[in-house]
Amino acid sequence: MADRPRTILICSCEDTMPIHAQAVRRGCGGSQVTTARQLCRAELDRYRAAVAAGDALVVGCTQEAPLFSEIAAASRNADIGFANIRETAGWSADAANAGPKMAALLAVAAEPAPAVPFVTLTSEGVILVHGRDEQAIEAADLLKDHLDVTVLITPPAEVTPKRVTDFPVVKGIIRLAKGHLGAFELTIDDYAQPSPSSRDALAFGPAKDNAVSRCDIVLDISGNAPLFPAADLRDGYLRADPGDPAAVLKAVLKARDLIGTFDKPRHITFTEELCAHSRSRIVGCTRCLDLCPTGAIAPAGDHVAIDAWICAGCGQCAATCPTGAASYALPPADALMRRLRLLLTAYRDAGGERAIVLLHDDLHGMPLIDALARFGDGLPANVLPLGVNEITQIGLEAIAAVFAYGASALAFLLREKPRHDVTGLAQTLALAEPILVGLGFGPERVIRIQTDDPDLLGARLRAITTPAPAPRPSGFMPAGPKREVLRLALRELHGAAPAPMDVIALPAGAPFGAVEIDTKSCTLCLACVSACPTGALLDNPERPMLRFVEDVCVQCGLCKATCPEKAITLKPQLDFRAATSPARVLNEQEPFCCIRCGKPFGVKSTIERVIAALADKHWMYQGADRRLDAIKMCADCRVIAVAEAELGSAGGTPRADARTTEDYLREREEQEQPPKRKE
């Protein structure tokens, strides 16, 4: 629960559902539970009294949340949470057994929501209507009194001239588009303005390429290919099929409202220092670049840059980021896992068994759950729904936590046609499957349900088998950066598992694994140590040695790409012993000792190989024993030896003494003195 005990108000909604007060008390220990029959109407004074007492409240009703919030605001009590226990639990064929679920949902509602960061989008109402015929002119007529309109007609642009020029009409082909609401920039080829003397059809003047147009909003009813990837997720870009008049009108009406200042959540928190994208212009990790549906991520030197104004919040970059450089902020990974902990702990404390966690988004999932409750059998009693911002934000740490906390199964509710590409989620599930199987949980513990049909949702949920949960469920409290939370969740999962294994093989692309070295090819140049962004590869200042710390390796591939001898191979695996294991030696060779001072300074095999390659084979080393000896010396002794033997001059010729200012002044004085007379 939250920091202090809460007062929980639950209502039977005019006796349309049982409310299981005793189960709620068990699951939400330390809280005062008050029941009602019609809390929002006849018994509203009971709610007013609880608010006036200043207690932290949880109300088991979301339908009347606006009314309850208004009363609380008048009493200046803002510490109120709301839980939907009617559509998710009470209105169900299993309502008689839904007490533990109600306790779990009310416990989660007590968890305070984390603060959400925002970015600001500003639109001054400058709109470009992109069309192919008179339809674009008609759309512009509807917008001209509200926005600053320009119409761009795709060639051949055969439209009738307007009697009065209310807005500019130009022709052209958009070759490049970038930007977002309030900051679009379009590059247009074949751009031309109309002649004012156009009669039956617009006649255009000379055309030019690379014209640039800047606007706040783009209304695209051209019927051409979208100007942006994931076009429906680009703020300020409105696209409609010109063959669907209703869709065009809807887009026009939406465009009229896009003027002013808008706050948009900053979905991703990004830490450049942790990014493993590249080092020294050698590319390593590209997971986020490969998955971003909107093109909001771009390379920026050794790291990537995420444009928060373009980001649509799918969260796939954060879910797959191996270092935690990109982390989801709506909510952060540790906050989501604390909600999972509350959900499953309260359910178990209230007597619930074999829980199935159902993760869904509010825009798609809640309407389906609502329809299933109103017109069907509702959710099964052991299905615990939990709303998230986007299903695709779920990473391996949340999946591991669900089973570590004692769930029997995990289900993801997706749209029949997802708004976002779900490739990242598929990769995460493919990574979780061998881990769960390897730890004895068995196969198919994680289920994807893609449907827009509430009846099909109910049938799929009731068909899920619920094997025994973890025999030793964990109650760990997650905290800290994403990578640390992931490590902690996996360790706790291992401790709670039915049949734990120490090492589990993982598919390619996994964020855990080992590095293997071909010792015959490795020269211990240690370029891989310099490239490693996490410190998984280490040298030894005392002798030629390459060491490896598996617990911090993220399998970014920079070491493999950097190695000049191509001696490195990545081995994706999850070794649960790595967290407590010391650095492992991958390669170690005998050092070469300086022939002058005896100090070790290099790798013996490498120096011997260099000497063998140069002796009597290179023109500079033909019989030049002193030059070969210089290679066998440390850096300090080599300088001393060269200075002593004056090897710096070609052919061994002694170097002339350096001339100073005094030398030049003395010679000048001697030249200026008159010659001595001969006696």
Side-chain angles (χ1 to χ4, degrees), residues 318-606:
T320 59
C321 180
T323 64
S327 59
Y328 208 71
L330 223 67
D334 57 341
L336 174 60
M337 290 166 62
R338 285 194 294 272
R339 295 175 66 194
L340 289 168
R341 176 180 179 272
L342 283 169
L343 185 77
L344 290 162
T345 302
Y347 179 78
R348 189 170 60 249
D349 290 346
E353 297 179 349
R354 299 180 183 262
I356 300 173
V357 175
L358 175 65
L359 295 176
H360 64 88
D361 63 8
D362 286 340
L363 292 178
H364 171 252
M366 276 312 303
L368 281 188
I369 293 171
D370 183 87
L372 183 61
R374 293 175 181 274
F375 307 107
D377 290 337
L379 294 177
N382 65 332
V383 172
L384 308 181
L386 183 65
V388 294
N389 190 55
E390 292 286 352
I391 294 297
T392 45
Q393 78 184 70
I394 303 300
L396 180 61
E397 68 283 346
I399 298 175
V402 164
F403 291 97
Y405 289 139
S408 289
L410 172 63
F412 289 85
L413 177 55
L414 301 169
R415 300 169 186 264
E416 184 68 33
K417 295 182 178 179
R419 293 174 64 237
H420 301 284
D421 183 2
V422 295
T423 301
L425 177 62
Q427 292 175 358
T428 300
L429 300 187
L431 177 59
E433 180 72 10
I435 296 175
L436 294 173
V437 172
L439 295 179
F441 287 95
E444 299 182 358
R445 286 289 193 106
V446 183
I447 302 99
R448 284 174 55 177
I449 302 176
Q450 278 190 243
T451 183
D452 298 333
D453 184 346
D455 292 329
L456 181 57
L457 170 63
R460 289 289 305 275
L461 289 173
R462 294 182 187 278
I464 297 174
T465 58
T466 52
R472 300 172 297 277
S474 174
F476 75 97
M477 180 66 76
K482 177 180 177 293
R483 179 74 179 185
E484 297 303 320
V485 169
L486 174 57
R487 288 199 191 104
L488 176 60
L490 288 171
R491 287 198 295 270
E492 294 294 325
L493 179 65
H494 183 262
M501 292 176 58
D502 287 334
V503 182
I504 299 173
L506 298 178
F512 299 97
V515 168
E516 295 182 342
I517 296 290
D518 181 357
T519 55
K520 294 181 180 179
S521 301
C522 176
T523 62
L524 285 175
C525 68
L526 302 180
C528 55
V529 175
S530 301
C532 181
T534 63
L537 290 170
L538 306 169
D539 62 354
N540 186 336
E542 304 299 328
R543 57 186 298 109
M545 181 185 295
L546 178 61
R547 299 179 295 158
F548 176 63
V549 182
E550 185 166 342
D551 191 45
V552 296
C553 178
V554 297
Q555 299 281 287
C556 65
L558 275 169
C559 57
K560 180 180 179 181
T562 301
C563 179
E565 286 81 24
K566 307 302 178 186
I568 295 179
T569 303
L570 301 180
K571 184 181 180 182
Q573 65 179 27
L574 181 56
D575 189 342
F576 290 97
R577 303 165 301 180
T580 56
S581 299
R584 175 161 52 93
V585 176
L586 296 180
N587 193 12
E588 180 180 11
Q589 296 189 29
E590 183 181 351
F592 190 92
C593 295
C594 176
I595 61 175
R596 184 181 179 107
C597 70
K599 181 177 69 175
F601 72 93
V603 181
K604 183 177 181 180
S605 61
T606 301

Side-chain angles (χ1 to χ4, degrees), residues 144-159:
K144 65 183 181 181
D145 295 331
H146 307 274
L147 303 173
D148 183 353
V149 180
T150 298
V151 175
L152 175 66
I153 302 292
T154 301
E158 296 177 353
V159 295

Side-chain angles (χ1 to χ4, degrees), residues 98-280:
K101 182 201 286 194
M102 290 184 179
L105 297 175
L106 290 164
V108 171
E111 177 72 6
V116 178
F118 290 93
V119 295
T120 299
L121 302 171
T122 302
S123 169
E124 296 181 357
V126 178
I127 185 171
L128 179 76
V129 179
H130 180 214
R132 60 187 181 186
D133 51 27
E134 301 284 353
Q135 190 177 41
I137 306 297
E138 294 171 1
D141 280 329
L142 296 174
L143 293 169
K144 65 183 181 181
D145 295 331
H146 307 274
L147 303 173
D148 183 353
V149 180
T150 298
V151 175
L152 175 66
I153 302 292
T154 301
E158 296 177 353
V159 295
T160 303
K162 288 179 64 65
R163 185 173 59 85
V164 178
T165 305
D166 298 312
F167 43 79
V169 178
V170 298
K171 77 160 186 170
I173 301 172
I174 299 176
R175 175 169 54 84
L176 178 65
K178 59 183 180 180
H180 51 82
L181 176 64
F184 284 107
E185 182 177 299
L186 311 175
T187 302
I188 303 171
D189 289 342
D190 196 22
Y191 172 82
Q193 294 187 357
S195 170
S197 61
S198 300
R199 188 172 181 180
D200 56 338
L202 282 180
F204 293 89
K208 66 176 182 178
D209 293 338
N210 297 317
V212 176
S213 173
R214 295 178 176 86
C215 57
D216 300 313
I217 311 159
V218 177
L219 174 58
D220 186 356
I221 52 176
S222 65
N224 298 332
L227 299 178
F228 301 97
D232 57 328
L233 303 177
R234 183 67 60 111
D235 291 320
Y237 177 63
L238 308 175
R239 183 170 180 266
D241 181 0
D244 185 350
V248 172
L249 180 59
K250 183 178 178 181
V252 168
L253 295 177
K254 186 174 181 180
R256 289 169 56 172
D257 296 331
L258 294 181
I259 184 169
T261 300
F262 304 87
D263 287 334
K264 174 183 178 179
R266 184 184 290 272
H267 298 96
I268 303 297
T269 300
F270 187 69
T271 306
E272 295 178 354
E273 294 77 13
L274 298 178
C275 183
H277 171 59
S278 70
R279 295 293 184 273
S280 302

